[in-house]
Amino acid sequence: MALYKTQGPIVVAFLSALIVIVSNFVDAPGLGQLSTDVKSFGAIIAGFALFVGLLGIMQSHVNNVTKRKPLWQYSVLLVAVLVLFIAVGLAYGANSTQFLWIYDTIYGPLTATTYSLLAFWVCSAAYRAFKPRNLESGILVFTGLLTFFGIQPIASVISPIFYNIQSFIMSVPNIAGSRGIVIGIGLGVIGFGLRVLLGWDRSWMGAD
Amino acid sequence: MVGLISGKISDFVVLLIFWATLYFSIRTSMSGKLPNLRRLPAIDAIDEALGRAAEMGKTVLFTHGTGTLESSEAAGSLAAIAALPYVARKCAQLELKLFLPTGSHTAYTVLSEVARESYQLEGKPELFDQNNIQYLSNVARAYSAGVMSTLMTQNVGAAVFLGSYHHAGLMLVETANRVGALSVGGTDSTSQIPWFVAGCDYALIGEEIYALGAYLSKDPVSVGGLAGLDIIKALILAVITLGVVLYQVGIDLTGWFRV
C-alpha cells in the first residue's frame, strides 16, 4: 500500500497533536496561534464530514423509498423534513423566526417525548436488575433502597437519620468509587492517545 | 522568550513520567515479555453474541455512542472503533449482516473504511453493504431514536454498545433487551455505567473499553500499554497514600503539584 496511505495519516495526527499538546505547556511566540489554527483545521474538516454524512443519509433513505423497503414511508418523512429544514435555513437563516418556529414546533416536542421515555426505561431496568441473587447484589439493593428512601420527604418526618445515611452514602463511598473510575478513564485516555499518536494502534485507519 | 508556562510545569513532568512508563512497558512487551492479562467475561461474550446471532439467523448491531471524533469524547469513540475490526471480521466469517449506526459525521467515514477493509480481509467484500452504515444525528435523542428503530425493525440478535453515551445509553440497552438481543456494553460516561451494568448482559466498566482493543487483537503494543497503565495506577495509589499520611502529620504535598 502506498506510503502516504499507511504513514501519512499517522504523521499528520502526530504533528497536529504535538503542536496542541506542546502549546498547553510551552510559551513560545506563534505557538498559540499555530495551535488555534490546527484546531480550526479540525473544525473545517468536520464541516466537510458533516456534508458527507448528510449525503449518506439521503442515499440510504432514498434507496429505501425507491426499493420500497419495509417502513419506507418513514424514509419519505425523514427526507421531506430534512429538505424543509435545509431550505428554510438557507432561505431565511438559522436564527430567523421561520426556522425557529419549525425547530420549536417539530423538534422540541419530539426530543421531549424521547427524553420522557427514560422514566419508563429506568423503571424496567431497575425492576430487572435490582434483585438480591447473592450477597453483593443484596448489598446493592439494600443500599439503593436506603439512598432512595433517604431523599423522600417522609423519611425526614420519620427520622433525620435516613437523610444523614443517604448523604453519607452519596458523598463518601459513591464519590470514592466514581473518582477511582474517573482516574482510570483518564489514564486510559492518555495510554490510548499515546498508542494512536505513535502509530502503534492503527485500528482507526482500518489497518489490521 | 520560550519557556514552560508557570503553573503547568508539574503537569508536564507528570505527563512525561506517564509517557515514559508507557513507552518502556510497551517496548518490553514488544521484545517478547508479554504480561498476563486477566480475562474479562464481556470479551468472550462478544463471540458468544455473534455465534448466537448466526445460529438464530439474526443481525448484529455495533455502535460507538454519541461521542464525536473532534470532541473530548473522541477517546471513547476511538476505543470502540478499535474493537470494530474484530467484530466486523467475525461478522464476515459468519456471514452476518452488521449494522453500524453512528451519531458522529466524522466517525461515519472511519466506520465505513474500517468495516469495508475488514470484510475485504476476510475475502467477502460482496457482503459489505454501505447502506448498513447510517449517520443518524449528532443530537443524542435523535441518535438514540434511530438506533432504537434499527434494533426493533432489523431483527437484531447481538448488540454491542461501546464508547461514550449520555442518557441515550439506557434507552438503547433496554430496547436491546426488549427485542431479545444479547447485549455487550461498555462506556466511559460515569453517569451511564450503572445502567450498562444493570441492563447489558455483559458490561465493561470505564477504562476496560480502552483495553478491549488489546484483548481482542492480543497485539504486544496494546498489551504492553495495559501493563504500563497498571504501573501508573500503582504509582498514583502510592502517591495518594503518602499524601494522606503526610497530611495527617501536617505536611501538605499539594503545593508540589501546583508548580
Side-chain angles (χ1 to χ4, degrees):
Chain A
M1 195 179 281
L3 203 63
Y4 73 93
K5 280 188 178 179
T6 55
Q7 302 299 327
I10 298 170
V11 171
V12 171
F14 176 76
L15 289 176
S16 304
L18 190 68
I19 290 169
V20 175
I21 291 171
V22 169
S23 70
N24 264 321
F25 297 106
V26 175
D27 186 17
L31 185 59
Q33 183 58 45
L34 183 61
S35 173
T36 304
D37 290 342
V38 168
K39 291 174 194 172
S40 299
F41 296 157
I44 293 168
I45 293 168
F48 279 100
L50 178 63
F51 184 65
V52 172
L54 279 174
L55 285 179
I57 291 177
M58 293 293 282
Q59 178 192 0
S60 173
H61 287 278
V62 167
N63 185 55
N64 287 348
V65 174
T66 54
K67 293 185 179 177
R68 293 295 191 267
K69 289 188 176 178
L71 302 177
W72 62 271
Q73 295 89 343
Y74 291 111
S75 293
V76 173
L77 187 60
L78 185 144
V79 172
V81 173
L82 181 64
V83 170
L84 175 68
F85 265 87
I86 292 173
V88 172
L90 287 174
Y92 297 100
N95 294 323
S96 63
T97 51
Q98 293 88 346
F99 190 87
L100 290 174
W101 184 86
I102 299 175
Y103 188 92
D104 292 336
T105 310
I106 299 177
Y107 180 73
L110 284 173
T111 55
T113 304
T114 310
Y115 202 46
S116 65
L117 291 173
L118 267 180
F120 301 99
W121 297 137
V122 167
C123 291
S124 70
Y127 175 78
R128 211 182 55 255
F130 296 149
K131 292 175 184 171
R133 298 184 191 90
N134 51 36
L135 179 64
E136 289 86 2
S137 60
I139 294 172
L140 173 70
V141 171
F142 181 67
T143 310
L145 285 174
L146 266 181
T147 309
F148 182 67
F149 183 69
I151 59 174
Q152 304 304 316
I154 194 170
S156 304
V157 172
I158 297 171
S159 171
I161 195 171
F162 291 109
Y163 181 79
N164 295 337
I165 292 173
Q166 177 265 332
S167 293
F168 174 80
I169 292 172
M170 292 300 289
S171 60
V172 180
N174 179 53
I175 294 289
S178 62
R179 278 180 182 166
I181 291 174
V182 168
I183 289 174
I185 290 170
L187 292 177
V189 170
I190 292 173
F192 187 80
L194 185 70
R195 293 204 319 261
V196 169
L197 292 177
L198 294 180
W200 287 338
D201 189 324
R202 294 182 291 172
S203 56
W204 56 279
M205 288 169 53
D208 191 25
Chain B
M1 180 69 180
V2 178
L4 289 172
I5 298 173
S6 178
K8 294 195 174 180
I9 296 173
S10 55
D11 297 344
F12 186 61
V13 170
V14 168
L15 187 62
L16 286 180
I17 293 172
F18 286 176
W19 277 355
T21 307
L22 283 170
Y23 180 81
F24 285 111
S25 176
I26 290 171
R27 294 302 294 186
T28 304
S29 182
M30 288 169 76
S31 68
K33 298 173 188 172
L34 282 174
N36 289 325
L37 291 182
R38 175 178 61 90
R39 193 71 179 171
L40 293 171
I43 294 165
D44 295 325
I46 292 177
D47 287 336
E48 178 191 343
L50 298 180
R52 180 173 174 270
E55 285 171 13
M56 298 171 71
K58 294 193 173 184
T59 60
V60 178
L61 182 138
F62 180 102
T63 180
H64 68 86
T66 53
T68 60
L69 297 189
E70 66 273 14
S71 68
S72 58
E73 296 158 342
S77 297
L78 284 172
I81 292 172
L84 177 58
Y86 180 84
V87 174
R89 292 186 71 166
K90 276 286 183 183
C91 288
Q93 288 170 13
L94 298 171
E95 297 188 356
L96 287 166
K97 190 182 271 190
L98 175 64
F99 289 96
L100 296 170
T102 175
S104 166
H105 49 283
T106 44
Y108 172 74
T109 49
V110 175
L111 290 173
S112 298
E113 281 308 304
V114 172
R116 187 196 315 273
E117 286 210 20
S118 299
Y119 275 81
Q120 282 175 347
L121 284 168
E122 289 298 321
K124 295 178 182 175
E126 70 281 1
L127 293 179
F128 173 74
D129 188 354
Q130 181 67 39
N131 289 322
N132 291 343
I133 303 170
Q134 283 199 335
Y135 165 59
L136 297 172
S137 172
N138 281 36
V139 177
R141 274 156 270 186
Y143 160 81
S144 60
V147 177
M148 287 159 63
S149 170
T150 304
L151 283 165
M152 288 189 286
T153 59
Q154 299 298 336
N155 195 26
V156 175
V160 181
F161 304 113
L162 297 171
S164 298
Y165 293 82
H166 300 294
H167 52 272
L170 177 60
M171 293 186 200
L172 307 184
V173 166
E174 280 301 295
T175 305
N177 278 310
R178 281 173 182 267
V179 301
L182 200 154
S183 56
V184 179
T187 180
D188 56 357
S189 306
T190 49
S191 63
Q192 293 300 302
I193 289 173
W195 297 115
F196 271 62
V197 172
C200 288
D201 295 292
Y202 297 91
L204 296 160
I205 299 174
E207 55 171 335
E208 290 174 350
I209 66 170
Y210 302 111
L212 188 59
Y215 280 104
L216 293 174
S217 64
K218 299 180 180 59
D219 174 38
V221 169
S222 304
V223 173
L226 287 182
L229 288 178
D230 280 352
I231 296 171
I232 293 171
K233 278 179 229 168
L235 283 173
I236 291 174
L237 190 59
V239 169
I240 291 173
T241 307
L242 180 68
V244 167
V245 169
L246 289 177
Y247 191 80
Q248 303 307 314
V249 296
I251 302 171
D252 189 358
L253 289 182
T254 55
W256 289 21
F257 297 94
R258 290 185 188 142
V259 175

